[in-house]
Amino acid sequence: MKNIVSLTVFAFLLLSSFTTFERKEVKIRTVVIDAGHGGKDTGCNGASAREKDVALKVALKVGDLIQENIPDVKVIYTRKDDRFVELIDRAGIANKNHADLFISIHCNAGPSTAYGTETYTMGQHKSSGNLAVAKRENSVVLQEENYEKKYNGFNPNSPQSHILFSLYQSAYLDNSLRFAQKVEKEFKTKVGRSSRGVKQAGFLVLWKSAMPSTLIEIGFLTNPQEEKFLNDKTNQTYMASGIYRAFKEYKQELEAMN
């Protein structure tokens, strides 16, 4: 009995020492904000609004809010103007700058009756709708040279390719979901938007990002009412404020665990 107790105490102390040794303090110091599409790639279009323009305005506002209110966080953009940036380079910017969070902002497309926000993390798509969104966003690679080589033979028209790429990012899934849930909560409770929830699918823009990452669809430009909402400067500020508050809460929550 004495030996069993001694062994149990030894195992507990050994486990505790390893836990202490491996524990790493979490600090959110750098965030990369990615405005979807740009340049020759307009993204989806409404009657007058273009995804690349709306996404950029919201992305820049999110960055402004973070810099104004959380000055110890470094904000980096994948683009600050109307230019084309390849998907692989967007993640590359985040990795090069050792970002702690990658936020990609987009507008959605669908039937004219479709509406609401949804936030995605990299993962296995659970429905044909999730796959359709990933296929639309990933089709940007068709405008890139040698995309098959850059993306390991990825075919944007193949469901199998999307499934394969959805398996990446698993190491960061918990915190990606943590942030995504806060974004959708803000949209629903503070901004008053209809939330379609947090979802998963295989997005190339999130594929090689070595940190928690999310892709935020702020609404449907193919819905006339939502297009009008999203094309309004005041409403763009509301949406950006929701993302900012989610980021602030995410940062505080993670750092409180130290």
PDB file of all heavy atoms in Angstrom, residues 34 36 51 102-107 118-122 133-134 136-138 179-180 184 199 203-206 213-218:
ATOM      1  N   ASP A  34      -7.378  40.517 -43.126  1.00  0.00           N
ATOM      2  CA  ASP A  34      -7.375  40.241 -44.554  1.00  0.00           C
ATOM      3  C   ASP A  34      -8.699  40.667 -45.180  1.00  0.00           C
ATOM      4  O   ASP A  34      -9.748  40.109 -44.855  1.00  0.00           O
ATOM      5  CB  ASP A  34      -7.152  38.737 -44.764  1.00  0.00           C
ATOM      6  CG  ASP A  34      -7.342  38.306 -46.204  1.00  0.00           C
ATOM      7  OD1 ASP A  34      -6.764  38.961 -47.089  1.00  0.00           O
ATOM      8  OD2 ASP A  34      -8.069  37.311 -46.447  1.00  0.00           O
ATOM      9  N   GLY A  36     -10.963  40.358 -48.124  1.00  0.00           N
ATOM     10  CA  GLY A  36     -11.075  39.385 -49.201  1.00  0.00           C
ATOM     11  C   GLY A  36     -11.066  40.003 -50.584  1.00  0.00           C
ATOM     12  O   GLY A  36     -11.534  41.124 -50.788  1.00  0.00           O
ATOM     13  N   GLU A  51     -17.875  43.064 -53.536  1.00  0.00           N
ATOM     14  CA  GLU A  51     -17.328  42.465 -52.321  1.00  0.00           C
ATOM     15  C   GLU A  51     -15.956  43.027 -51.971  1.00  0.00           C
ATOM     16  O   GLU A  51     -15.675  43.319 -50.807  1.00  0.00           O
ATOM     17  CB  GLU A  51     -17.229  40.937 -52.483  1.00  0.00           C
ATOM     18  CG  GLU A  51     -16.654  40.241 -51.256  1.00  0.00           C
ATOM     19  CD  GLU A  51     -16.592  38.728 -51.392  1.00  0.00           C
ATOM     20  OE1 GLU A  51     -16.906  38.217 -52.491  1.00  0.00           O
ATOM     21  OE2 GLU A  51     -16.229  38.063 -50.405  1.00  0.00           O
ATOM     22  N   PHE A 102      -5.572  35.447 -37.340  1.00  0.00           N
ATOM     23  CA  PHE A 102      -5.774  35.839 -38.736  1.00  0.00           C
ATOM     24  C   PHE A 102      -7.270  35.986 -38.973  1.00  0.00           C
ATOM     25  O   PHE A 102      -8.041  35.050 -38.738  1.00  0.00           O
ATOM     26  CB  PHE A 102      -5.186  34.764 -39.656  1.00  0.00           C
ATOM     27  CG  PHE A 102      -5.345  35.039 -41.125  1.00  0.00           C
ATOM     28  CD1 PHE A 102      -4.519  35.935 -41.783  1.00  0.00           C
ATOM     29  CD2 PHE A 102      -6.319  34.378 -41.866  1.00  0.00           C
ATOM     30  CE1 PHE A 102      -4.654  36.175 -43.147  1.00  0.00           C
ATOM     31  CE2 PHE A 102      -6.467  34.604 -43.230  1.00  0.00           C
ATOM     32  CZ  PHE A 102      -5.626  35.512 -43.870  1.00  0.00           C
ATOM     33  N   ILE A 103      -7.692  37.166 -39.422  1.00  0.00           N
ATOM     34  CA  ILE A 103      -9.109  37.460 -39.641  1.00  0.00           C
ATOM     35  C   ILE A 103      -9.315  37.818 -41.111  1.00  0.00           C
ATOM     36  O   ILE A 103      -8.785  38.822 -41.598  1.00  0.00           O
ATOM     37  CB  ILE A 103      -9.595  38.630 -38.765  1.00  0.00           C
ATOM     38  CG1 ILE A 103      -9.299  38.373 -37.287  1.00  0.00           C
ATOM     39  CG2 ILE A 103     -11.082  38.891 -38.988  1.00  0.00           C
ATOM     40  CD1 ILE A 103      -9.570  39.580 -36.392  1.00  0.00           C
ATOM     41  N   SER A 104     -10.078  37.006 -41.825  1.00  0.00           N
ATOM     42  CA  SER A 104     -10.357  37.263 -43.235  1.00  0.00           C
ATOM     43  C   SER A 104     -11.814  37.687 -43.380  1.00  0.00           C
ATOM     44  O   SER A 104     -12.720  36.979 -42.929  1.00  0.00           O
ATOM     45  CB  SER A 104     -10.084  35.999 -44.064  1.00  0.00           C
ATOM     46  OG  SER A 104     -10.172  36.273 -45.447  1.00  0.00           O
ATOM     47  N   ILE A 105     -12.041  38.846 -43.997  1.00  0.00           N
ATOM     48  CA  ILE A 105     -13.383  39.432 -44.083  1.00  0.00           C
ATOM     49  C   ILE A 105     -13.918  39.374 -45.515  1.00  0.00           C
ATOM     50  O   ILE A 105     -13.244  39.798 -46.456  1.00  0.00           O
ATOM     51  CB  ILE A 105     -13.371  40.883 -43.563  1.00  0.00           C
ATOM     52  CG1 ILE A 105     -12.945  40.885 -42.084  1.00  0.00           C
ATOM     53  CG2 ILE A 105     -14.737  41.540 -43.735  1.00  0.00           C
ATOM     54  CD1 ILE A 105     -12.753  42.269 -41.492  1.00  0.00           C
ATOM     55  N   HIS A 106     -15.132  38.854 -45.658  1.00  0.00           N
ATOM     56  CA  HIS A 106     -15.742  38.647 -46.973  1.00  0.00           C
ATOM     57  C   HIS A 106     -17.220  39.015 -46.942  1.00  0.00           C
ATOM     58  O   HIS A 106     -17.808  39.219 -45.878  1.00  0.00           O
ATOM     59  CB  HIS A 106     -15.621  37.170 -47.382  1.00  0.00           C
ATOM     60  CG  HIS A 106     -14.224  36.738 -47.667  1.00  0.00           C
ATOM     61  ND1 HIS A 106     -13.767  36.494 -48.943  1.00  0.00           N
ATOM     62  CD2 HIS A 106     -13.172  36.512 -46.840  1.00  0.00           C
ATOM     63  CE1 HIS A 106     -12.490  36.137 -48.882  1.00  0.00           C
ATOM     64  NE2 HIS A 106     -12.107  36.136 -47.608  1.00  0.00           N
ATOM     65  N   CYS A 107     -17.815  39.066 -48.145  1.00  0.00           N
ATOM     66  CA  CYS A 107     -19.269  39.177 -48.289  1.00  0.00           C
ATOM     67  C   CYS A 107     -19.744  37.915 -48.998  1.00  0.00           C
ATOM     68  O   CYS A 107     -19.022  37.334 -49.801  1.00  0.00           O
ATOM     69  CB  CYS A 107     -19.653  40.403 -49.111  1.00  0.00           C
ATOM     70  SG  CYS A 107     -19.121  41.969 -48.398  1.00  0.00           S
ATOM     71  N   GLU A 118     -22.225  34.685 -41.188  1.00  0.00           N
ATOM     72  CA  GLU A 118     -21.698  33.394 -40.771  1.00  0.00           C
ATOM     73  C   GLU A 118     -20.177  33.487 -40.713  1.00  0.00           C
ATOM     74  O   GLU A 118     -19.560  34.188 -41.513  1.00  0.00           O
ATOM     75  CB  GLU A 118     -22.152  32.262 -41.698  1.00  0.00           C
ATOM     76  CG  GLU A 118     -21.957  32.508 -43.172  1.00  0.00           C
ATOM     77  CD  GLU A 118     -22.719  31.495 -44.031  1.00  0.00           C
ATOM     78  OE1 GLU A 118     -23.748  30.970 -43.585  1.00  0.00           O
ATOM     79  OE2 GLU A 118     -22.268  31.235 -45.167  1.00  0.00           O
ATOM     80  N   THR A 119     -19.602  32.803 -39.733  1.00  0.00           N
ATOM     81  CA  THR A 119     -18.155  32.842 -39.549  1.00  0.00           C
ATOM     82  C   THR A 119     -17.612  31.426 -39.636  1.00  0.00           C
ATOM     83  O   THR A 119     -18.121  30.514 -38.986  1.00  0.00           O
ATOM     84  CB  THR A 119     -17.784  33.477 -38.201  1.00  0.00           C
ATOM     85  OG1 THR A 119     -18.302  34.815 -38.162  1.00  0.00           O
ATOM     86  CG2 THR A 119     -16.284  33.531 -38.022  1.00  0.00           C
ATOM     87  N   TYR A 120     -16.579  31.265 -40.457  1.00  0.00           N
ATOM     88  CA  TYR A 120     -16.021  29.950 -40.740  1.00  0.00           C
ATOM     89  C   TYR A 120     -14.641  29.750 -40.120  1.00  0.00           C
ATOM     90  O   TYR A 120     -13.852  30.693 -40.023  1.00  0.00           O
ATOM     91  CB  TYR A 120     -15.869  29.758 -42.252  1.00  0.00           C
ATOM     92  CG  TYR A 120     -17.157  29.451 -42.972  1.00  0.00           C
ATOM     93  CD1 TYR A 120     -17.985  30.474 -43.432  1.00  0.00           C
ATOM     94  CD2 TYR A 120     -17.540  28.134 -43.215  1.00  0.00           C
ATOM     95  CE1 TYR A 120     -19.166  30.200 -44.104  1.00  0.00           C
ATOM     96  CE2 TYR A 120     -18.724  27.847 -43.897  1.00  0.00           C
ATOM     97  CZ  TYR A 120     -19.527  28.876 -44.332  1.00  0.00           C
ATOM     98  OH  TYR A 120     -20.689  28.593 -44.999  1.00  0.00           O
ATOM     99  N   THR A 121     -14.377  28.512 -39.731  1.00  0.00           N
ATOM    100  CA  THR A 121     -13.030  28.077 -39.409  1.00  0.00           C
ATOM    101  C   THR A 121     -12.676  26.968 -40.382  1.00  0.00           C
ATOM    102  O   THR A 121     -13.547  26.417 -41.051  1.00  0.00           O
ATOM    103  CB  THR A 121     -12.914  27.533 -37.962  1.00  0.00           C
ATOM    104  OG1 THR A 121     -13.683  26.331 -37.857  1.00  0.00           O
ATOM    105  CG2 THR A 121     -13.418  28.554 -36.955  1.00  0.00           C
ATOM    106  N   MET A 122     -11.395  26.663 -40.473  1.00  0.00           N
ATOM    107  CA  MET A 122     -10.959  25.567 -41.330  1.00  0.00           C
ATOM    108  C   MET A 122     -11.432  24.259 -40.720  1.00  0.00           C
ATOM    109  O   MET A 122     -11.267  24.029 -39.516  1.00  0.00           O
ATOM    110  CB  MET A 122      -9.428  25.573 -41.416  1.00  0.00           C
ATOM    111  CG  MET A 122      -8.863  24.664 -42.471  1.00  0.00           C
ATOM    112  SD  MET A 122      -9.133  25.313 -44.126  1.00  0.00           S
ATOM    113  CE  MET A 122      -8.033  24.271 -45.080  1.00  0.00           C
ATOM    114  N   VAL A 133     -19.887  27.581 -50.290  1.00  0.00           N
ATOM    115  CA  VAL A 133     -19.206  28.827 -49.919  1.00  0.00           C
ATOM    116  C   VAL A 133     -17.704  28.673 -50.100  1.00  0.00           C
ATOM    117  O   VAL A 133     -17.033  29.552 -50.653  1.00  0.00           O
ATOM    118  CB  VAL A 133     -19.531  29.219 -48.455  1.00  0.00           C
ATOM    119  CG1 VAL A 133     -18.703  30.426 -48.030  1.00  0.00           C
ATOM    120  CG2 VAL A 133     -21.012  29.537 -48.320  1.00  0.00           C
ATOM    121  N   ALA A 134     -17.147  27.552 -49.648  1.00  0.00           N
ATOM    122  CA  ALA A 134     -15.711  27.312 -49.786  1.00  0.00           C
ATOM    123  C   ALA A 134     -15.303  27.263 -51.266  1.00  0.00           C
ATOM    124  O   ALA A 134     -14.284  27.835 -51.657  1.00  0.00           O
ATOM    125  CB  ALA A 134     -15.325  26.010 -49.090  1.00  0.00           C
ATOM    126  N   ARG A 136     -16.764  28.718 -53.770  1.00  0.00           N
ATOM    127  CA  ARG A 136     -16.827  30.062 -54.353  1.00  0.00           C
ATOM    128  C   ARG A 136     -15.606  30.889 -53.958  1.00  0.00           C
ATOM    129  O   ARG A 136     -14.983  31.537 -54.799  1.00  0.00           O
ATOM    130  CB  ARG A 136     -18.106  30.778 -53.913  1.00  0.00           C
ATOM    131  CG  ARG A 136     -18.250  32.182 -54.505  1.00  0.00           C
ATOM    132  CD  ARG A 136     -19.564  32.825 -54.108  1.00  0.00           C
ATOM    133  NE  ARG A 136     -19.663  33.046 -52.683  1.00  0.00           N
ATOM    134  CZ  ARG A 136     -19.073  34.067 -52.037  1.00  0.00           C
ATOM    135  NH1 ARG A 136     -18.320  34.931 -52.709  1.00  0.00           N
ATOM    136  NH2 ARG A 136     -19.240  34.220 -50.748  1.00  0.00           N
ATOM    137  N   GLU A 137     -15.261  30.866 -52.672  1.00  0.00           N
ATOM    138  CA  GLU A 137     -14.119  31.652 -52.219  1.00  0.00           C
ATOM    139  C   GLU A 137     -12.801  31.098 -52.764  1.00  0.00           C
ATOM    140  O   GLU A 137     -11.889  31.849 -53.106  1.00  0.00           O
ATOM    141  CB  GLU A 137     -14.076  31.684 -50.685  1.00  0.00           C
ATOM    142  CG  GLU A 137     -15.272  32.361 -50.022  1.00  0.00           C
ATOM    143  CD  GLU A 137     -15.354  33.862 -50.272  1.00  0.00           C
ATOM    144  OE1 GLU A 137     -14.492  34.415 -50.998  1.00  0.00           O
ATOM    145  OE2 GLU A 137     -16.302  34.486 -49.770  1.00  0.00           O
ATOM    146  N   ASN A 138     -12.700  29.775 -52.878  1.00  0.00           N
ATOM    147  CA  ASN A 138     -11.461  29.167 -53.353  1.00  0.00           C
ATOM    148  C   ASN A 138     -11.270  29.291 -54.858  1.00  0.00           C
ATOM    149  O   ASN A 138     -10.161  29.105 -55.357  1.00  0.00           O
ATOM    150  CB  ASN A 138     -11.429  27.676 -52.977  1.00  0.00           C
ATOM    151  CG  ASN A 138     -11.251  27.464 -51.478  1.00  0.00           C
ATOM    152  OD1 ASN A 138     -10.821  28.357 -50.759  1.00  0.00           O
ATOM    153  ND2 ASN A 138     -11.598  26.277 -51.008  1.00  0.00           N
ATOM    154  N   PHE A 179     -12.892  32.347 -31.134  1.00  0.00           N
ATOM    155  CA  PHE A 179     -13.037  33.688 -31.696  1.00  0.00           C
ATOM    156  C   PHE A 179     -14.271  33.781 -32.594  1.00  0.00           C
ATOM    157  O   PHE A 179     -15.029  34.753 -32.527  1.00  0.00           O
ATOM    158  CB  PHE A 179     -11.784  34.078 -32.488  1.00  0.00           C
ATOM    159  CG  PHE A 179     -11.899  35.411 -33.183  1.00  0.00           C
ATOM    160  CD1 PHE A 179     -11.974  36.579 -32.447  1.00  0.00           C
ATOM    161  CD2 PHE A 179     -11.958  35.491 -34.565  1.00  0.00           C
ATOM    162  CE1 PHE A 179     -12.095  37.811 -33.079  1.00  0.00           C
ATOM    163  CE2 PHE A 179     -12.074  36.700 -35.205  1.00  0.00           C
ATOM    164  CZ  PHE A 179     -12.146  37.879 -34.459  1.00  0.00           C
ATOM    165  N   ALA A 180     -14.475  32.763 -33.429  1.00  0.00           N
ATOM    166  CA  ALA A 180     -15.621  32.762 -34.352  1.00  0.00           C
ATOM    167  C   ALA A 180     -16.938  32.871 -33.607  1.00  0.00           C
ATOM    168  O   ALA A 180     -17.853  33.609 -34.015  1.00  0.00           O
ATOM    169  CB  ALA A 180     -15.599  31.492 -35.203  1.00  0.00           C
ATOM    170  N   GLU A 184     -19.895  35.921 -34.012  1.00  0.00           N
ATOM    171  CA  GLU A 184     -21.310  35.721 -34.315  1.00  0.00           C
ATOM    172  C   GLU A 184     -22.208  36.195 -33.166  1.00  0.00           C
ATOM    173  O   GLU A 184     -23.302  36.715 -33.396  1.00  0.00           O
ATOM    174  CB  GLU A 184     -21.581  34.257 -34.642  1.00  0.00           C
ATOM    175  CG  GLU A 184     -21.077  33.830 -36.011  1.00  0.00           C
ATOM    176  CD  GLU A 184     -21.698  34.633 -37.147  1.00  0.00           C
ATOM    177  OE1 GLU A 184     -22.931  34.804 -37.172  1.00  0.00           O
ATOM    178  OE2 GLU A 184     -20.936  35.105 -38.008  1.00  0.00           O
ATOM    179  N   LYS A 199     -19.418  27.915 -38.674  1.00  0.00           N
ATOM    180  CA  LYS A 199     -19.370  26.757 -39.556  1.00  0.00           C
ATOM    181  C   LYS A 199     -17.923  26.394 -39.889  1.00  0.00           C
ATOM    182  O   LYS A 199     -17.000  27.162 -39.584  1.00  0.00           O
ATOM    183  CB  LYS A 199     -20.159  27.038 -40.838  1.00  0.00           C
ATOM    184  CG  LYS A 199     -21.616  27.432 -40.573  1.00  0.00           C
ATOM    185  CD  LYS A 199     -22.379  27.713 -41.853  1.00  0.00           C
ATOM    186  CE  LYS A 199     -23.826  28.092 -41.559  1.00  0.00           C
ATOM    187  NZ  LYS A 199     -24.605  28.332 -42.801  1.00  0.00           N
ATOM    188  N   PHE A 203     -11.131  26.219 -46.557  1.00  0.00           N
ATOM    189  CA  PHE A 203     -10.784  27.472 -47.241  1.00  0.00           C
ATOM    190  C   PHE A 203      -9.276  27.558 -47.460  1.00  0.00           C
ATOM    191  O   PHE A 203      -8.488  27.475 -46.513  1.00  0.00           O
ATOM    192  CB  PHE A 203     -11.240  28.679 -46.416  1.00  0.00           C
ATOM    193  CG  PHE A 203     -12.723  28.854 -46.372  1.00  0.00           C
ATOM    194  CD1 PHE A 203     -13.466  28.335 -45.336  1.00  0.00           C
ATOM    195  CD2 PHE A 203     -13.385  29.543 -47.381  1.00  0.00           C
ATOM    196  CE1 PHE A 203     -14.841  28.492 -45.295  1.00  0.00           C
ATOM    197  CE2 PHE A 203     -14.759  29.701 -47.354  1.00  0.00           C
ATOM    198  CZ  PHE A 203     -15.493  29.175 -46.306  1.00  0.00           C
ATOM    199  N   LEU A 204      -8.884  27.793 -48.694  1.00  0.00           N
ATOM    200  CA  LEU A 204      -7.459  27.897 -49.004  1.00  0.00           C
ATOM    201  C   LEU A 204      -6.794  29.057 -48.286  1.00  0.00           C
ATOM    202  O   LEU A 204      -5.632  28.976 -47.912  1.00  0.00           O
ATOM    203  CB  LEU A 204      -7.264  28.054 -50.521  1.00  0.00           C
ATOM    204  CG  LEU A 204      -7.433  26.786 -51.369  1.00  0.00           C
ATOM    205  CD1 LEU A 204      -7.284  27.126 -52.840  1.00  0.00           C
ATOM    206  CD2 LEU A 204      -6.422  25.734 -50.970  1.00  0.00           C
ATOM    207  N   VAL A 205      -7.512  30.159 -48.084  1.00  0.00           N
ATOM    208  CA  VAL A 205      -6.904  31.324 -47.452  1.00  0.00           C
ATOM    209  C   VAL A 205      -6.530  31.036 -45.997  1.00  0.00           C
ATOM    210  O   VAL A 205      -5.649  31.675 -45.429  1.00  0.00           O
ATOM    211  CB  VAL A 205      -7.841  32.556 -47.546  1.00  0.00           C
ATOM    212  CG1 VAL A 205      -9.036  32.418 -46.605  1.00  0.00           C
ATOM    213  CG2 VAL A 205      -7.081  33.854 -47.271  1.00  0.00           C
ATOM    214  N   LEU A 206      -7.192  30.045 -45.376  1.00  0.00           N
ATOM    215  CA  LEU A 206      -6.875  29.664 -44.005  1.00  0.00           C
ATOM    216  C   LEU A 206      -5.898  28.496 -43.942  1.00  0.00           C
ATOM    217  O   LEU A 206      -5.366  28.186 -42.874  1.00  0.00           O
ATOM    218  CB  LEU A 206      -8.153  29.267 -43.250  1.00  0.00           C
ATOM    219  CG  LEU A 206      -9.299  30.284 -43.224  1.00  0.00           C
ATOM    220  CD1 LEU A 206     -10.468  29.701 -42.432  1.00  0.00           C
ATOM    221  CD2 LEU A 206      -8.859  31.613 -42.636  1.00  0.00           C
ATOM    222  N   SER A 213      -7.438  31.051 -37.017  1.00  0.00           N
ATOM    223  CA  SER A 213      -7.864  31.802 -38.199  1.00  0.00           C
ATOM    224  C   SER A 213      -9.362  31.651 -38.425  1.00  0.00           C
ATOM    225  O   SER A 213      -9.919  30.575 -38.208  1.00  0.00           O
ATOM    226  CB  SER A 213      -7.131  31.285 -39.446  1.00  0.00           C
ATOM    227  OG  SER A 213      -5.734  31.287 -39.261  1.00  0.00           O
ATOM    228  N   THR A 214      -9.982  32.726 -38.902  1.00  0.00           N
ATOM    229  CA  THR A 214     -11.400  32.673 -39.238  1.00  0.00           C
ATOM    230  C   THR A 214     -11.672  33.443 -40.523  1.00  0.00           C
ATOM    231  O   THR A 214     -10.942  34.374 -40.874  1.00  0.00           O
ATOM    232  CB  THR A 214     -12.288  33.288 -38.131  1.00  0.00           C
ATOM    233  OG1 THR A 214     -11.914  34.661 -37.935  1.00  0.00           O
ATOM    234  CG2 THR A 214     -12.150  32.540 -36.822  1.00  0.00           C
ATOM    235  N   LEU A 215     -12.723  33.028 -41.206  1.00  0.00           N
ATOM    236  CA  LEU A 215     -13.205  33.754 -42.383  1.00  0.00           C
ATOM    237  C   LEU A 215     -14.629  34.204 -42.074  1.00  0.00           C
ATOM    238  O   LEU A 215     -15.498  33.382 -41.795  1.00  0.00           O
ATOM    239  CB  LEU A 215     -13.165  32.857 -43.621  1.00  0.00           C
ATOM    240  CG  LEU A 215     -13.520  33.529 -44.949  1.00  0.00           C
ATOM    241  CD1 LEU A 215     -12.709  32.905 -46.091  1.00  0.00           C
ATOM    242  CD2 LEU A 215     -15.013  33.428 -45.262  1.00  0.00           C
ATOM    243  N   ILE A 216     -14.847  35.519 -42.096  1.00  0.00           N
ATOM    244  CA  ILE A 216     -16.131  36.101 -41.694  1.00  0.00           C
ATOM    245  C   ILE A 216     -16.904  36.557 -42.928  1.00  0.00           C
ATOM    246  O   ILE A 216     -16.427  37.384 -43.703  1.00  0.00           O
ATOM    247  CB  ILE A 216     -15.924  37.301 -40.747  1.00  0.00           C
ATOM    248  CG1 ILE A 216     -15.085  36.886 -39.534  1.00  0.00           C
ATOM    249  CG2 ILE A 216     -17.259  37.880 -40.307  1.00  0.00           C
ATOM    250  CD1 ILE A 216     -14.636  38.056 -38.668  1.00  0.00           C
ATOM    251  N   GLU A 217     -18.089  35.999 -43.109  1.00  0.00           N
ATOM    252  CA  GLU A 217     -18.994  36.438 -44.182  1.00  0.00           C
ATOM    253  C   GLU A 217     -19.984  37.417 -43.537  1.00  0.00           C
ATOM    254  O   GLU A 217     -20.862  37.018 -42.784  1.00  0.00           O
ATOM    255  CB  GLU A 217     -19.735  35.237 -44.780  1.00  0.00           C
ATOM    256  CG  GLU A 217     -18.838  34.194 -45.446  1.00  0.00           C
ATOM    257  CD  GLU A 217     -18.422  34.589 -46.860  1.00  0.00           C
ATOM    258  OE1 GLU A 217     -18.734  35.727 -47.291  1.00  0.00           O
ATOM    259  OE2 GLU A 217     -17.790  33.755 -47.533  1.00  0.00           O
ATOM    260  N   ILE A 218     -19.830  38.705 -43.836  1.00  0.00           N
ATOM    261  CA  ILE A 218     -20.592  39.730 -43.115  1.00  0.00           C
ATOM    262  C   ILE A 218     -22.008  39.939 -43.646  1.00  0.00           C
ATOM    263  O   ILE A 218     -22.776  40.722 -43.071  1.00  0.00           O
ATOM    264  CB  ILE A 218     -19.839  41.075 -43.103  1.00  0.00           C
ATOM    265  CG1 ILE A 218     -19.588  41.577 -44.524  1.00  0.00           C
ATOM    266  CG2 ILE A 218     -18.523  40.939 -42.336  1.00  0.00           C
ATOM    267  CD1 ILE A 218     -18.953  42.972 -44.583  1.00  0.00           C
TER     268      ILE A 218
END
